[in-house]
Structure formats: C-alpha cells, structure tokens
Amino acid sequence: MTAIIETQGLVMQFPSTLALDQLDLSVPPGVTGLVGANGAGKTTLISLALGLLKPTSGSITVLGLDPTTDGPVLRAQIGYGPERNVFPDDLRAYDYVRHLTEVKGLPRDEARSRASDSLFLVGLGEERFRALGTMSTGQRQRVKLAQAIAADPHLIVLDEPTDGLDPVQRDYMLGIIVQINREFGIDVLLSSHVLEEVERVCDHVVALSEGALVAQGSMAELAGASGGIDLELVQIDDRLGAIDEVVCSLIAGGATVRRSGMVLSIGGKPDDDLFDLANVSVASAGARIRRLGQHRRTLDDIFAPHNSTGSSPELGATS
Ligand code: ATP
C-alpha cells in the first residue's frame, strides 16, 4: 500500500522551540487522525506537508512528491481546511468556494458547479448565497470543508474541523468527512485533540506529544481489547470507604490496581480467576458493581504516560 505521507528523521526547529523531533511516519490511504495536545506539533507537520514550511532536516514526501520542491503541483492535489478562520466576511459562501476552486486551476463553469455541489454535500445548499460573516461556527466549518473538497483533490488535510462545534454538529461533520472518503475515495488527514472522535471515525492514527511520535498504526492495532479488566463501582454514601477496601482486597489477591474516581483498572490476564477476585473483593467490601468487563485500550491509554490523567499510580504487586 503506497503511503500518502512519509517522513524520515523529520525535524522542525523554530528559533526557540523544537516543534518536531526526528519523526518517522508512514500514513496509509484512508482516514487518518493526527492527534496530540496543544503544541504537540500537528499544525507544524501539516504546514510541512503542504510545503508552507521547510524542514530543518530530514525528509517528507506527500502523494509521492517533495513539498519543498513540488509545492505548487502538490497543493493543486490537496484540499486544505485550516484551523483559523480565514474568511472574508462580506463574501457569499458560494462565491468564496467558487473563487478558491478557480484558483486551483479549474475552468470557471466547472468551478461554479463544483462549488454548488460541494456546498450541497456539506448541507449548505440553501445557505450557499449567505455572506460568510453572517454564518454560525458550524456553518463556517462546513464552508471550510466544502472549499477543501471542491477541486476534487486526492487528499484533504483538515486542521481541527470540529473545533467549536456542539456534539450534534460534531457528529454531522465527522459523518460527512467519512462519507467523502468512502464515496469519493479522497484520503483524509484529520488533526484533532479530541481522542474520542478520532477513535470513532479514523482508520489510522498518528499520535504526537511535544514534537515526538507517541504511536502510529491502524486503529484496530492501537485500540481494542487488551489485558486487564475494568471495574466501576456505584458510589454509596454510607459506604464511602468501600472502594478502598476493594482495592486492598484486590492487591491482597495479587492484582495490580489503578484507580480513577470510581473506576478501578485491574491488571492481569482477564481470565475467570481475575473476574472471581474482583467479584469476591466487591462482595466482601459491601460495595456494588456498576460495570465489570474486559479492559479496552483507548487512545487515552496511549497518551496516559505522556499526559496527567488524574488517575492514581498503579498499586499492588508490581508497584
Ligand atoms: P494546537 O493544537 O494548539 O494548534 P499543534 O499541535 O498544532 O497545537 P503547533 O502549532 O505545530 O502545535 O506548535 C508546535 C510548537 O511549535 C509549539 O510550541 C509552538 O509554540 C511552536 N511553533 C509553532 N509555529 C511556530 C513559529 N512559526 N515560530 C515559533 N514557534 C512556533
């Protein structure tokens, strides 16, 4: 499978900040989430992929081209939705998308029909003649997506496309993004700091932390079933110490435990013995179970060693 974006030893050093540190990446076709906290280096990587910045050292290829030397040819094949609002407020959405599509090199008539089609696709058919300055955040995000897809690119790069959206708008936006990939075969690089949404819609993930690569791979490889079980207890007002008793009992039984609020992550092979130990520990402490099941690794777990999650350090046999 040919990589959409590939980097080797990619470094971007700003005068006082090392934004990317020796990045070796391979982004396959599909929908890829680029995740990381604020300042992780996502926008810097996007700027390098678009040829808007020159790397300090190392190499990057996008769609088989070198952005530093083939920038204009490459950018004609990429649709880009920037994070910042870059709209001229008095322009109508349709005119804005049509104009940018013409700038990409499409003939005027084609640019017109593509502008309308892409605005319809993102659900702005009726509103396409509204001035951008009168539009809501959700509508503006959709205009950004429409202009990114209008010139029929091979790849769209979307920087925080769900920023400022409520949950309903967020779901709608993510649905369209996946539809664009599945129906039109356009590959997507989606930058986000919301791990849950990346987990939900992306086929692959590239995770950055402070300019370094934390993880990359398919979502199926990175998330999903893994070792241990999760036990969530019901808070009982007259048995506030019950959870501590459960923790002690689990540790006495040889398990390792990480606590986060009323949820205990119990380390070990998720077999009958571990489930029995959990049940016995809960019963002997007089606690009540809200949820008990095999632990599913999430992107949060991947970031856990790099972020402060508020959960306790691991307690027990190996602590
Ligand atoms: P956010 O989610 O906040 O947009 P990000 O993951 O996109 O963050 P970047 O914008 O790539 O992160 O920034 C990475 C680091 O590089 C930050 O410490 C930032 O301050 C620094 N940085 C980015 N652009 C420049 C620049 N032009 N000059 C100097 N430092 C920069």
Side-chain angles (χ1 to χ4, degrees), residues 298-319:
T298 65
L299 288 180
D300 270 322
D301 295 329
I302 293 169
F303 273 99
H306 306 272
N307 290 342
S308 169
T309 61
S311 62
S312 72
E314 196 165 74
L315 307 166
T318 58
S319 67

Side-chain angles (χ1 to χ4, degrees), residues 14 17 19 37-44 83 160:
F14 291 114
T17 312
N38 293 124
K42 304 181 296 293
T43 303
T44 303
E83 181 179 11
E160 304 278 0

Side-chain angles (χ1 to χ4, degrees), residues 193-210:
H193 59 267
V194 184
L195 301 181
E196 179 273 331
E197 73 180 28
V198 168
E199 224 165 82
R200 200 148 39 93
V201 305
C202 293
D203 307 311
H204 313 278
V205 69
V206 169
L208 300 179
S209 177
E210 296 177 359

Side-chain angles (χ1 to χ4, degrees), residues 33-182:
L34 175 60
V35 298
N38 293 124
K42 304 181 296 293
T43 303
T44 303
L45 180 61
I46 288 172
S47 301
L48 288 164
L50 294 169
L52 305 176
L53 284 175
K54 207 168 174 297
T56 309
S57 60
S59 67
I60 176 165
T61 42
V62 181
L63 302 174
L65 297 169
D66 179 347
T68 53
T69 53
D70 304 316
V73 180
L74 180 61
R75 286 192 289 275
Q77 300 177 39
I78 299 180
Y80 173 47
E83 181 179 11
R84 280 177 298 124
N85 252 333
V86 285
F87 290 144
D89 281 350
D90 50 350
L91 212 59
R92 300 184 307 175
Y94 165 79
D95 293 321
Y96 176 70
V97 176
R98 178 185 55 76
H99 174 71
L100 289 181
T101 310
E102 272 188 70
V103 168
K104 286 258 171 152
L106 270 74
R108 175 159 290 202
D109 282 349
E110 202 178 335
R112 280 196 186 122
S113 62
R114 283 187 175 275
S116 285
D117 289 350
S118 53
L119 283 162
F120 267 101
L121 182 72
V122 300
L124 289 176
E126 302 299 319
E127 282 104 348
R128 67 192 187 284
F129 295 122
R130 286 242 323 255
L132 291 161
T134 69
M135 290 189 153
S136 67
T137 307
Q139 289 169 324
R140 285 161 163 258
Q141 288 287 31
R142 289 195 229 168
V143 174
K144 271 197 240 174
L145 180 59
Q147 63 78 30
I149 59 175
D152 198 18
H154 294 305
L155 167 68
I156 52 175
V157 178
L158 306 171
D159 202 349
E160 304 278 0
T162 58
D163 206 28
L165 304 187
D166 66 36
V168 175
Q169 290 177 327
R170 185 179 284 257
D171 283 353
Y172 183 82
M173 183 64 124
L174 293 170
I176 300 171
I177 291 169
V178 172
Q179 184 191 355
I180 287 167
N181 173 255
R182 304 297 189 253

Side-chain angles (χ1 to χ4, degrees), residues 197-308:
E197 73 180 28
V198 168
E199 224 165 82
R200 200 148 39 93
V201 305
C202 293
D203 307 311
H204 313 278
V205 69
V206 169
L208 300 179
S209 177
E210 296 177 359
L213 186 66
V214 176
Q216 68 172 325
S218 76
M219 200 55 77
E221 279 163 21
L222 293 174
S226 71
I229 57 181
D230 287 336
L231 167 63
E232 185 178 358
L233 297 174
V234 177
Q235 177 119 33
I236 307 172
D237 286 344
D238 57 350
R239 291 286 297 116
L240 288 177
I243 190 159
D244 296 326
E245 287 176 39
V246 175
V247 171
C248 289
S249 172
L250 287 164
I251 293 169
T256 57
V257 183
R258 191 184 293 273
R259 178 177 172 184
S260 177
M262 297 303 287
V263 178
L264 302 178
S265 302
I266 307 167
K269 195 159 165 259
D271 55 13
D272 286 350
D273 289 345
L274 199 58
F275 277 96
D276 286 348
L277 175 63
N279 277 311
V280 168
S281 302
V282 171
S284 63
R288 285 219 322 265
I289 295 175
R290 184 183 302 283
R291 182 172 56 92
L292 176 65
Q294 189 171 342
H295 178 69
R296 294 193 69 76
R297 202 157 86 113
T298 65
L299 288 180
D300 270 322
D301 295 329
I302 293 169
F303 273 99
H306 306 272
N307 290 342
S308 169

